Amino acid sequence: QVQLQESGPGLVKPSQTLSLMCTVSGASINNNAYYWSWIRQLPGKGLDYIGYVFYSGSTYYNPSLRSRLTLSLDTSKNQFSLKLTSVTAADTALYYCARDTISGSGSRYFDSWGQGVLVTVSS
Amino acid sequence: DIQMTQSPSSLSASVGDRVTITCQASQAIKNYLNWYHQKPGKAPKALIYAASNLETGVPSRFSGSGSGTQFTFTISSLQPEDVGTYYCQQYDKHPLAFGGGTKVELK
């Protein structure tokens, strides 16, 4: 079955760039049935949608992060990545990568998730 | 943006109890609504998609209904492994959005 695994530094200094990678196994990211997505969870809070990258390289960014966010993918390595610039303490969160599966009926949902990586923004 | 409001924010119930959670969308979203369960320290897991469809492998005690702006999620007979937080999520319009969550505990 598909597995997703986030990787990246757990500590980032304010004003620097947060970079995370998601490695996918058991499925190819070069597939038009999925949006490869990022979701974060602030400490003790709910889930916030960050955005997705499609197999073609097209992206969607949550407007709340759009000016600081870049999502991309590397099909040769079956990985996709997140870069968030100019981070502040408000970006401290548990970051999940997830597969958003599109069905022929038009439904879509996050059917596979990574375990999450905690990123703390602090000097 | 579409806002998703869940109620209650928390509940305590006994094993075998029927548990109901509601989710209200700030505008009509057809049946474009999913439900997830997050156990402490774990990633969320999909339970219901498109308002009423059970994800493969999910026990039949879980069910969902609704359309438009009002949705309901039900556990027909609460089990110990059902504790955790439940989230609804709309996918009618971007940005996709989750409800604030309902924390379910055992009494």
Side-chain angles (χ1 to χ4, degrees):
Chain A
Q1 75 280 16
V2 62
Q3 291 187 319
L4 291 81
Q5 178 68 59
E6 304 89 350
S7 59
L11 181 64
V12 181
K13 288 182 168 50
S15 80
Q16 293 192 343
T17 297
L18 184 165
S19 296
L20 297 175
M21 185 75 70
C22 183
T23 300
V24 179
S25 58
S28 172
I29 66 171
N30 194 19
N31 187 318
N32 66 359
Y34 310 119
Y35 296 115
W36 301 100
S37 305
W38 292 93
I39 296 152
R40 69 182 183 179
Q41 188 165 32
L42 278 60
K45 301 294 185 183
L47 301 162
D48 291 335
Y49 180 66
I50 296 173
Y52 72 74
V53 57
F54 198 41
Y55 81 106
S56 60
S58 64
T59 55
Y60 172 82
Y61 299 154
N62 191 315
S64 66
L65 297 170
R66 184 171 292 156
S67 63
R68 301 190 290 129
L69 182 64
T70 302
L71 303 182
S72 59
L73 75 170
D74 185 336
T75 55
S76 67
K77 295 181 180 178
N78 224 38
Q79 296 174 327
F80 61 105
S81 64
L82 172 154
K83 289 188 189 302
L84 186 65
T85 63
S86 304
V87 297
T88 70
D91 294 309
T92 293
L94 185 58
Y95 286 77
Y96 291 104
C97 59
R99 186 178 76 172
D100 183 3
T101 293
I102 315 157
S103 80
S105 64
S107 67
R108 57 186 286 191
Y109 61 102
F110 300 108
D111 67 342
S112 300
W113 298 65
Q115 65 186 24
V117 58
L118 179 62
V119 178
T120 301
V121 179
S122 174
S123 55
Chain B
D1 295 3
I2 298 175
Q3 309 300 321
M4 307 301 294
T5 303
Q6 283 181 239
S7 61
S9 57
S10 66
L11 65 88
S12 181
S14 299
V15 173
D17 281 354
R18 184 180 183 88
V19 170
T20 299
I21 299 168
T22 63
C23 180
Q24 180 172 350
S26 60
Q27 59 186 269
I29 57 169
K30 309 175 192 69
N31 69 330
Y32 294 171
L33 191 285
N34 304 320
W35 291 96
Y36 301 86
H37 176 213
Q38 184 176 35
K39 295 183 178 180
K42 300 292 187 182
K45 175 189 172 187
L47 300 179
I48 302 281
Y49 65 94
S52 61
N53 295 274
L54 204 62
E55 167 71 320
T56 303
V58 173
S60 59
R61 65 179 180 274
F62 297 101
S63 64
S65 64
S67 67
T69 62
Q70 295 284 352
F71 300 85
T72 301
F73 173 82
T74 300
I75 307 173
S76 60
S77 176
L78 186 69
Q79 299 302 303
E81 61 267 30
D82 299 339
V83 299
T85 304
Y86 291 82
Y87 294 95
C88 61
Q89 175 243 323
Q90 69 83 17
Y91 58 94
D92 183 46
K93 288 185 173 58
H94 275 292
L96 307 187
F98 293 85
T102 296
K103 187 173 184 179
V104 174
E105 297 176 321
L106 282 180
K107 193 178 291 184

